[in-house]
Amino acid sequence: MCQHQFYVAKPALKSVTVCARMRRDLRGALLLLLTAAVQSSSMSAPGKPVLLSCRSPEKETFTCWWEPGSDGGLPTTHHLYYERERLEGTYECPDYLSAGRNSCFFDKNHTSIWVDYYLTVMASNALGNATSDPFKMDVMEIVKPDAPGNVTLRVEEREASPCLHVRWMPPSNTDTKSGWVTIKYELRVKKDNSNNWKEYTSGTQTHFSLYSVSPGGVYTVQVRCLLDHGSWSEWSNTTFVKISNYLQNERPLSMLISILSAILFIMAGLILIAKRKSVKQWVLPPVPGPKIRGINSQLLQSGGSDDVGNVLIIKQSFPPIYFVWEDQMEDYLIVTENEDWLSSNSQKRKKSLIPACFHFDSEIHSKESPCHQNDWEKDEEISQVDNNNKPFTNTGYVDFQRNVENVDVKHVDYSRVKEVKSDNIIFLEKEKVQSSGYIHFQRQEGIPEDYSRVKEVESDHLVVLQKQNAADLSCKDEGNHYTDCALHKPRKPHVCTELSDSGYVDTIPAPPLM
Amino acid sequence: MEKVLFAVLTLVYLELSMRVVSAPICSYGQAGCHVPSLADLFERVIQQSSRMHSVSSDLHSDFEQYFFPRKNLIGKRKCHTYDILTPEDKENAQRLGREQLTEVIVRLLQAWGEPLSELYQSMSQDQNQDFNLYSSNKALEISDILHELKDGVTIITEKMKLLGVLSNTVGYNSPESLVPSSAFYTQGDLDSMDHHDLLYCFRRDSNKAKNYLRILKCTTLPEPDC
């Protein structure tokens, strides 16, 4: 009798007495066990791969990548198959190696633009196959260039601010020369370690200049490019440059200099303020005023009018002035004794002779005044009339005192004698003003030889002196011999009964120059 | 008051000066015209084709996002310009020669005149869809640019013939058989699928036209960096 005994499959098997029928069953059992063992260590057909993306760097070739699924524990191979528009049949990938693992590279001969590709990837192993979903693509849509290369930075240090010149090369595989693709560039810059990139578009140029850089920083630059209407490339490798801050080193020095100069200026200003008076004197020297001998300007300022008046009156040492002024603006005071001379000119002027009237009213042009003041003709007429007189060419001052309105204020004026025509005609230069007021004549008893009494004052400009004696007349009649009839001849004062007052015209003795 | 007067005077001056600067451009050298050079013409035409492709590409992607959010739509379509044989890579395009390249460009442009206007009309009529409301003006823009581009290419062809660069065998009045019939699309009213197909096809063809024009320019005008 055979005993059916079941044993677990172990390497060490105990020897068992078996029958032939039992051997066949045993094999079957063993096979079952082996299969169970294999299944418990997961071997299977491969999982479904997935096509990820395709990319063409220059619109002439392209590469596709996939991701494999599970491999089922067995060595699995992948195959890419494609169909193409306008091309019959299914083809396999021409190059699995050039682009790395799980990729397919299509070279120029196998690349056509503007046609659709339908791609599938099949994974297969000992136990089965798995096929990915179809992937449709057109090369026109998958263009993404490589990053530009050889990015170089150059710092140009200018006076105002430095500038950064960036240069790069297009990616080596793109063909821009034939016009097949047009390339566009973009660059971005960041300073130091910040995360703010500043982007700039460069168009088709392979260089760019940055002007907004400041010294003392590290600048990082990256460039990328674009073909036609495709996708942007990756950013190029980082290139950075450090801009030296030599300018900053200069700054403390310049600040120091500016501070020192500011201090100097302040000090100079303070000194100037402290010594402003002397500075003012030096910058604007005072204009020397006129110095009149004998006049104390201090006195004048203090306003002692009496003293001033006295000073002005007792002026005995007036220096004579020897020049004749022929100013038309000035009036002349004619002091004359010659009544005939007066009457000869009567047609030229209106007058009424009122003898010995030298009493000026304050209102000169008032009709009440017995004296009429008339305007004088010019000097030329006078000289015409008096051609029979020999003029003395010395001038002197005739001073009268004037009183204004009977008030005891001494309002003194001088009139300069312009020329002495004869012993009885004196031309006085009259200044423009002061025609008002009384002329106060001092009566003096002991009349010195030099005095002539004023007979009448014709007007502002004419004073007629009294002729004292026949000797004078004879002097006149004799003609030219007037030298005898000098001013020095004594004259008796001729009292004018109608005179309210009499006065003397004080003449200054002729200077030795004459 | 003075500022207003000054502003008015400045504007008047600018207007007058601009009038002086922009003389009318004419291609046949009529009196009083500023005749542009071949380089200028090419530049203008390439800009226009680039703009055309850009707008159509935007419109297509908008369309896809709105109607078919799921990406990678599989659908084998056939464009009505399928029959126009076009070079499909750089070497073939360069090997083609100026005359043939010009012909291809002209044929492509002519083939799209009618379909684009149909597209615009269809989109502007179909106001139910919000997409059409916002995007029909882009279709109009594409249509207009295409029209200008056709004229521009005609002018360039004439000028090149004049300069002896192009032989006179190039005829842009292609016989009817060569122009693909746009009846392909007018069998009925266009629906969204038709819109999508049209946009897809036109995006591709405008890209072709742009590329071919650039190659034509670079082979015709000797420039170091094209």
Side-chain angles (χ1 to χ4, degrees), chain A residues 369-393:
Chain A
S369 139
C371 310
H372 291 266
Q373 278 79 41
N374 301 310
D375 287 335
W376 282 100
E377 313 296 340
K378 289 301 171 190
D379 182 34
E380 303 85 77
E381 292 166 20
I382 295 162
S383 57
Q384 265 177 354
V385 167
D386 296 312
N387 50 8
N388 53 349
N389 292 326
K390 183 178 161 189
F392 283 102
T393 56

Side-chain angles (χ1 to χ4, degrees), chain A residues 59-60 83 85-86 113-114 116 135-136 138 140-141 175-180 182 228-229, chain B residues 53-54 72 76-77 82 87-90 94 200 203-204 207-208 210-212 214-215 218 226:
Chain A
K59 211 171 174 178
E60 292 174 51
E83 288 168 17
E85 196 181 341
R86 290 183 192 261
I113 326 287
W114 305 301
D116 290 332
F135 186 84
K136 187 187 88 157
D138 187 339
M140 174 183 85
E141 299 163 336
D175 174 21
T176 51
K177 294 205 191 319
S178 65
W180 183 241
T182 41
D228 291 342
H229 295 278
Chain B
H53 171 70
S54 169
N72 211 10
K76 296 208 177 175
R77 64 175 63 81
Y82 186 87
E88 278 159 7
D89 55 35
K90 187 176 83 172
Q94 285 173 331
Y200 183 87
R203 184 176 71 138
R204 176 187 283 180
N207 198 290
K208 276 188 191 174
K210 185 179 85 160
N211 255 131
Y212 297 154
R214 266 216 303 267
I215 289 182
C218 291
C226 198

